[in-house]
């Protein structure tokens, strides 16, 4: 390319973006937990969910993102919506430093949930991923649906009183 060539970067085509909405939680925390992810592509919707007996809210939030990204069949542009500041900040701000410091945090201690962070980074590496934070329990239909799916997964696995 000549130095005077003009390079135009086009915005992503909204018709070719996979939108993912994730959520996870426990009751109590730590305790039985559930996670969910809703993937949308054009007019197709896929819902994923699961549960674990002994876990934390943060582990369930991370599991939702890992499972969603791992379920994609080919590289694509992805927008992940999460109500977890831990997930959003971890992946967009802290993970580069953790990797550089051999998975140690600012205090020099091992990073919590390293197994899940590594899954997310590996799954995200083949995609163009934009991470978006949304306020939880604030009337966003997709976030509310993800919350219900995670709760239903936890209750189905461990009982309605949980």
């Amino acid at each position: 390319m000549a130095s005077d060539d003009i390079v135009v970067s086009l915005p992503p085509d909204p018709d070719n973006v996979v939108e993912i909405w994730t959520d996870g939680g426990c009751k109590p925390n730590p305790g039985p937990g559930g996670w969910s992810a809703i993937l949308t592509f054009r007019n197709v919707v896929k819902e994923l969910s699961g549960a674990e007996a002994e876990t934390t809210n943060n582990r369930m939030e991370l599991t939702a993102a890992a499972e969603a990204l791992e379920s994609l069949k080919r590289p694509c542009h992805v927008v992940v919506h999460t109500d977890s500041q831990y997930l959003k900040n971890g992946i967009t701000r802290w993970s580069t430093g953790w990797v550089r410091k051999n998975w140690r945090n600012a205090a020099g201690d091992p990073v919590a949930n390293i197994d899940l962070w590594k899954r997310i980074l590996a799954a995200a590496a083949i995609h163009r991923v934009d991470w978006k934070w949304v306020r939880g329990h604030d009337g966003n239909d997709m976030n509310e649906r993800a919350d219900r799916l995670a709760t239903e997964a936890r209750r189905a696995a461990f009982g309605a009183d949980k």
Side-chain angles (χ1 to χ4, degrees):
M1 180 175 357
S3 62
D4 58 348
D5 285 349
I6 297 173
V7 176
V8 177
S9 179
L10 298 175
D13 179 356
D15 290 333
N16 288 312
V17 174
V18 177
E19 298 270 348
I20 299 175
W21 301 81
T22 64
D23 201 20
C26 291
K27 192 170 181 182
N29 183 31
W35 62 268
S36 73
I38 305 166
L39 294 82
T40 64
F41 180 71
R42 297 184 181 146
N43 293 323
V44 178
V45 177
K46 180 178 183 179
E47 295 178 341
L48 307 172
S49 63
E52 291 185 20
E54 276 301 313
T55 190
T56 65
N57 286 343
N58 284 341
R59 286 193 66 81
M60 292 292 87
E61 295 281 2
L62 298 178
T63 298
E67 292 283 343
L69 291 169
E70 290 168 349
S71 76
L72 298 172
K73 306 270 189 253
R74 61 180 171 79
C76 50
H77 180 194
V78 182
V79 178
V80 178
H81 304 267
T82 178
D83 63 7
S84 169
Q85 290 278 2
Y86 176 66
L87 171 58
K88 167 81 166 41
N89 289 333
I91 206 68
T92 63
R93 295 175 52 199
W94 307 327
S95 64
T96 303
W98 293 337
V99 170
R100 189 175 56 248
K101 295 182 206 172
N102 197 28
W103 290 98
R104 299 284 175 171
N105 62 23
D109 298 324
V111 171
N113 304 311
I114 188 172
D115 58 326
L116 293 169
W117 288 115
K118 286 181 175 182
R119 279 179 64 191
I120 293 167
L121 288 172
I126 64 167
H127 305 289
R128 174 184 166 188
V129 183
D130 297 325
W131 297 87
K132 305 284 185 186
W133 181 78
V134 296
R135 185 174 303 281
H137 310 288
D138 197 39
N140 179 297
D141 290 342
M142 295 300 278
N143 178 258
E144 297 290 342
R145 174 74 181 148
D147 179 67
R148 282 191 304 277
L149 289 171
T151 299
E152 288 169 9
R154 177 180 47 80
R155 287 181 174 162
F158 307 111
D161 61 331
K162 299 284 184 192

